[in-house]
Amino acid sequence: MKKVLFWVLSLLVTLFFAVFQRMTGPTHPLGGQASVDGVEISYKLLRSCETGEACPVLRSRAMDGLSGRVSWRRYRTSDQWASEAFSCAAGVCGAKIPSQPPAGKVEYYVKLDAPSAPVRLGDEPVVVRFRGPVPGHILLPHIILMFLFMLFSVRVALSAAFGLQPVPHSVPATVSFLVLGGFLFGPLTQYYAFGQAWTGFPFGHDLTDNKALLMLIFWSAALWATLRGRAARFWILAAFAVTAAVYFVPHSLLGSELNYDTGVVVTGK
């Protein structure tokens, strides 16, 4: 019964971290509310789009009949602001930004027309990053393996915390999921999306790559201790503490970014 409870708890913790990572990253749509002619509307401004077609940056189901302008310029450049009018109908708003190369970023803002004065959505310009299409046979294994890594991390840590013997082969499995998900399919995902497989240490300071590297160091120590039978409990708990701390850092911070001056993909700031 205790084993079942531990697995259920592990699943709940893993789902919590998955949702947290999804909701807090800099590529998650920025939501808000605005008042137009006394009517409250909810909206979302996209912060991630796929290359190859214009990016529909504004989403809202309650804006039919409204119109406005979207203004944009390439991020970290001295470009002049470009602007284009749009209208909303049938639940779709025509506010779009031209496609950019992979890892290219554009800052933009949206203003809605109103009788008294235009209503700006948000206080600051929003930054959207473009990514290349990632094949499903690359992206799906990456997601599944990293999910399994976190699931097993929690399960192993619970066993260690309560002084129980780890599930057989659980620590080697945990490390295997991390290696495959974070160091095989992770770089492949990044390569398809941004043209660079690895931009962490020692080639850059990509935070996602460096977080994976930090977790691998601690889980490798936990694996070594488990196989040697030396202070395995300490290293397992230490590895999970590092993993939990890493997962509390929003995904994609300091990620890949195209330098428009040099045409080189670098680590963002």
Side-chain angles (χ1 to χ4, degrees), residues 120-258:
R120 179 164 172 164
L121 304 183
D123 298 325
E124 300 291 336
V126 178
V127 177
V128 57
R129 180 173 67 167
F130 286 78
R131 66 188 187 281
V134 181
H137 64 272
I138 297 294
L139 182 59
L140 189 59
H142 169 62
I143 294 173
I144 293 175
L145 287 165
M146 294 309 295
F147 186 90
L148 290 174
F149 160 67
M150 190 60 187
L151 178 66
F152 272 67
S153 295
V154 179
R155 180 63 180 87
V156 171
L158 285 174
S159 294
F162 284 89
L164 304 177
Q165 288 294 326
V167 178
H169 311 301
S170 56
V171 176
T174 301
V175 176
S176 297
F177 291 140
L178 176 58
V179 170
L180 292 174
F183 294 88
L184 176 59
F185 287 99
L188 286 174
T189 297
Q190 183 164 271
Y191 178 78
Y192 276 101
F194 306 118
Q196 296 285 337
W198 182 268
T199 54
F201 180 84
F203 305 110
H205 52 270
D206 183 286
L207 194 55
T208 299
D209 289 347
N210 286 336
K211 288 189 300 182
L213 184 59
L214 181 62
M215 291 189 296
L216 180 61
I217 292 172
F218 275 84
W219 277 107
S220 295
L223 176 61
W224 179 84
T226 300
L227 296 178
R228 291 278 185 170
R230 298 177 180 177
R233 183 171 184 265
F234 168 80
W235 282 108
I236 288 173
L237 292 177
F240 177 73
V242 169
T243 301
V246 161
Y247 272 73
F248 270 118
V249 178
H251 194 274
S252 296
L253 283 179
L254 301 181
S256 299
E257 178 181 321
L258 176 65

Side-chain angles (χ1 to χ4, degrees), residues 29-34 36 41-49 54-71 84-97 108-113 119-122 126 128:
L30 186 65
Q33 292 184 327
V36 180
I41 60 171
S42 298
Y43 62 86
K44 288 185 178 180
L45 299 173
L46 297 194
R47 296 193 288 178
S48 178
C49 277
C55 174
V57 293
L58 176 61
R59 289 181 179 176
S60 177
R61 296 182 178 179
M63 296 176 62
D64 286 0
L66 294 179
S67 60
R69 299 192 72 85
V70 56
S71 302
E84 185 174 295
F86 70 88
S87 59
C88 302
V92 178
C93 290
K96 295 183 178 181
I97 289 176
Y108 71 93
Y109 61 89
V110 175
K111 287 185 177 181
L112 299 178
D113 296 331
V119 177
R120 179 164 172 164
L121 304 183
V126 178
V128 57

